[in-house]
Amino acid sequence: MNRAPLDVQRLRSSTGVSFFDRIDVVESTGSTNADLVARAADPAVDRQALLAEEQVSGRGRHARAWVSPPRAQISLSILVRLPGIDPTALGWLPLLTGIAVVDALRGAAGVSPELKWPNDVLLDGRKLAGILAEVAQTGIAPAVVVGIGMNVDLDESELPVAHATSLSLAGASDIDRTALVAAILAEFARRFTAWERSGWDTTELVAEYRERCATIGIEVRAELPGGTVLTGVASGVDDTGRLLIGERAVSAGDVSHLRGQY
């Protein structure tokens, strides 16, 4: 299939991306997250975005593989430093990224995605994108790399798992990857800037994440570290980003929506 490459010059000149010191596109790499984690060893490196047309060793949560045909997906990683943030608030960066992705797609692709706790983007109940954050450097200005893997132009036979979907399969109004990446970067930059200016206050993020989270209010099954399985209705997300199942707060684990089994 003949798929168009990303246009890095158009991307760099897009509205709203001046936040980024550097935006690069490479033809192929093992992992965009790993590449930016390596760059973060230089304390001067900040606000960088890296995209790959093909990712051969991409990872999702719990080290699951994340691969796709070349030019069919958005494989994007963003490196930012968060000076003065309370380390306990770092977990809100991937949740902020999820909000940014949902809102960017609603505006640029004419679709209505939602978030599945903690960091999956769903479209029509199927997985469209995953988000993975990694702390690259600790200290008073920690560096975090957040990666986004999104299915854009995959047909059914190319989907990585049965519960996945792509923008093209969902009938998105626009699957121009350059325009979509520009929208995501601009929305991320807007939200990150507002968060930093607030002194890393999470009040607004908490409220906006809850509004977009499809997990709240439905029955879920959580496989927790250590082998414990918890089933119940997800009643909310607390101020630290943990999922509330009944009266119990869950901070890690695999959570499945029992309605639709994902």
Side-chain angles (χ1 to χ4, degrees):
M1 187 181 297
N2 185 22
R3 294 177 167 114
L6 289 161
D7 185 337
V8 68
Q9 297 305 323
R10 179 158 65 100
L11 191 54
R12 289 169 177 164
S13 62
S14 297
T15 301
V17 304
S18 59
F19 167 91
F20 294 94
D21 292 344
R22 181 174 172 182
I23 300 173
D24 295 317
V25 177
V26 298
E27 192 62 34
S28 181
T29 192
S31 163
T32 53
N33 261 32
D35 293 346
L36 287 190
V37 167
R39 284 189 198 175
D42 180 347
V45 170
D46 190 10
R47 300 190 177 192
Q48 301 202 354
L50 175 64
L51 295 119
E53 298 285 22
E54 179 185 35
Q55 200 171 224
V56 297
S57 302
R59 292 177 297 111
R61 294 180 69 238
H62 306 298
R64 296 187 181 108
W66 183 281
V67 296
S68 81
R71 300 181 177 178
Q73 191 181 63
I74 291 171
S75 297
L76 164 65
S77 293
I78 297 169
L79 165 65
V80 286
R81 295 185 186 269
L82 300 90
I85 193 171
D86 185 329
T88 62
L90 283 175
W92 275 99
L93 181 61
L95 304 186
L96 175 151
T97 305
I99 295 169
V101 169
V102 163
D103 288 3
L105 291 179
R106 289 178 178 180
V111 292
S112 299
E114 298 176 294
L115 293 168
K116 172 179 174 283
W117 186 89
N119 301 326
D120 284 345
V121 179
L122 302 185
L123 192 52
D124 302 325
R126 301 171 74 181
K127 183 172 179 177
L128 176 70
I131 296 166
L132 176 69
E134 300 178 72
V135 177
Q137 295 283 311
T138 57
I140 59 172
V144 181
V145 175
V146 59
I148 303 161
M150 181 185 301
N151 300 324
V152 177
D153 187 25
L154 281 76
D155 62 31
E156 287 281 358
S157 68
E158 295 172 318
L159 294 174
V161 290
H163 57 255
T165 190
S166 69
L167 287 173
S168 59
L169 287 172
S173 61
D174 190 352
I175 59 169
D176 176 342
R177 290 183 305 133
T178 301
L180 294 172
V181 170
I184 291 167
L185 291 178
E187 187 63 23
F188 176 91
R190 185 182 73 81
R191 289 194 171 275
F192 184 90
T193 300
W195 189 28
E196 183 174 27
R197 287 175 178 168
S198 76
W200 310 116
D201 182 81
T202 59
T203 304
E204 182 176 346
L205 284 179
V206 172
E208 298 206 343
Y209 183 87
R210 288 171 178 158
E211 287 178 5
R212 293 157 180 78
C213 184
T215 307
I216 296 173
I218 67 171
E219 190 172 8
V220 299
R221 181 179 188 272
E223 298 179 19
L224 307 180
T228 303
V229 174
L230 179 64
T231 301
V233 174
S235 57
V237 174
D238 72 11
D239 290 349
T240 65
R242 298 179 301 177
L243 182 69
L244 302 175
I245 304 176
E247 298 300 317
R248 183 164 178 179
V250 174
S251 59
D254 269 356
V255 172
S256 301
H257 291 182
L258 294 184
R259 181 192 66 203
Q261 298 300 313
Y262 178 65

